[in-house]
Amino acid sequence: MGQLTQLHCGNVQRRRTNAEFLQSSPGFCSISAALSRTVFIMEIDAKTLSYEAAYKLMIGSVVPRPIAWLTTVSPDGIVNAAPFSAYTILCIRPPMVIVNCARRDGVSKDTARNAATSADFVLNVVSEDLAAVMHQTSAYYPPGVSETEALGIAVSPSRIVRSPRIAAAPISLECRLHQILEFGSDRDENLVGEVMCFHIADHLLKEGKI
């Protein structure tokens, strides 16, 4: 018991030392000012919001928010490319990701339909120089039209899955579809994929890290 008390006292002493160090650091005044400033908060009842209003608040609140540029292929071999507002890591072993794929007017988007049929998709990471053409793929294209062909976006064959990857993307994740989860009254579809293969530009990978 005495040993635990001594350890506890040691932890307290270290915290005091860290606090004293923080107070003596050049940025302490700005930190203190930031914590003591007055912030006027607006309270918004989420249940009163329309879909569009809730969407705007969600994408503005969850930041930084990586864009998932997904490529899939239809049963007829038509390649679809479309951006989605967010994705994140689900687990590491095996590596898995989840991508929110909201329906359009209650109907599944081409991406979700293709992924369900082929049981795969490729998640392409968007670099700044690809942002403009990525944004163009967000426009509506009929199911029989390939965004990559219409916009001249080069694709490369994947190593494991059927869907191709965007050739210019600095990072692409070949994903085998694990399942599609539906949430909410609009039954938003969330694609859960197991990463089967990583494609990473040589200059981005240093000692196993990006």
Side-chain angles (χ1 to χ4, degrees), residues 65-134:
R65 185 171 42 83
I67 302 297
W69 199 11
L70 299 191
T71 41
T72 56
V73 63
S74 74
D76 297 327
I78 298 172
V79 176
N80 175 272
F84 295 90
S85 296
Y87 69 93
T88 193
I89 300 166
L90 271 184
C91 60
I92 302 300
R93 186 175 296 174
M96 299 183 78
V97 294
I98 185 168
V99 184
N100 176 261
C101 185
R103 295 172 184 266
R104 179 183 285 115
D105 298 326
V107 179
S108 295
K109 292 180 179 176
D110 293 342
T111 297
R113 289 199 301 270
N114 291 346
T117 302
S118 65
D120 66 55
F121 59 89
V122 177
L123 193 161
N124 303 277
V125 175
V126 182
S127 53
E128 188 174 356
D129 59 335
L130 294 175
V133 66
M134 177 274 295

Side-chain angles (χ1 to χ4, degrees), residues 114-175:
N114 291 346
T117 302
S118 65
D120 66 55
F121 59 89
V122 177
L123 193 161
N124 303 277
V125 175
V126 182
S127 53
E128 188 174 356
D129 59 335
L130 294 175
V133 66
M134 177 274 295
H135 183 69
Q136 291 182 56
T137 62
S138 67
Y140 173 74
Y141 288 82
V145 176
S146 168
E147 290 86 353
T148 57
E149 289 187 11
L151 298 171
I153 302 171
V155 296
S156 296
S158 290
R159 181 170 171 267
I160 297 176
V161 304
R162 182 167 177 246
S163 299
R165 62 186 177 87
I166 292 174
I171 302 172
S172 296
L173 311 179
E174 293 186 32
C175 298

Side-chain angles (χ1 to χ4, degrees), residues 6-123:
Q6 184 178 1
L7 178 60
H8 175 71
C9 290
N11 288 338
V12 172
Q13 182 61 42
R14 281 200 296 274
R15 291 194 190 99
R16 287 174 180 169
T17 301
N18 289 338
E20 290 169 359
F21 172 77
L22 179 61
Q23 291 176 15
S24 65
S25 65
F28 178 75
C29 290
S30 61
I31 294 173
S32 178
L35 293 175
S36 62
R37 69 173 179 242
T38 301
V39 180
F40 296 96
I41 299 296
M42 180 182 297
E43 296 180 351
I44 303 173
D45 186 343
K47 293 182 180 179
T48 66
L49 297 173
S50 66
Y51 178 90
E52 291 77 14
Y55 175 79
K56 291 177 181 178
L57 294 183
M58 287 289 285
I59 64 172
S61 300
V62 182
V63 291
R65 185 171 42 83
I67 302 297
W69 199 11
L70 299 191
T71 41
T72 56
V73 63
S74 74
D76 297 327
I78 298 172
V79 176
N80 175 272
F84 295 90
S85 296
Y87 69 93
T88 193
I89 300 166
L90 271 184
C91 60
I92 302 300
R93 186 175 296 174
M96 299 183 78
V97 294
I98 185 168
V99 184
N100 176 261
C101 185
R103 295 172 184 266
R104 179 183 285 115
D105 298 326
V107 179
S108 295
K109 292 180 179 176
D110 293 342
T111 297
R113 289 199 301 270
N114 291 346
T117 302
S118 65
D120 66 55
F121 59 89
V122 177
L123 193 161

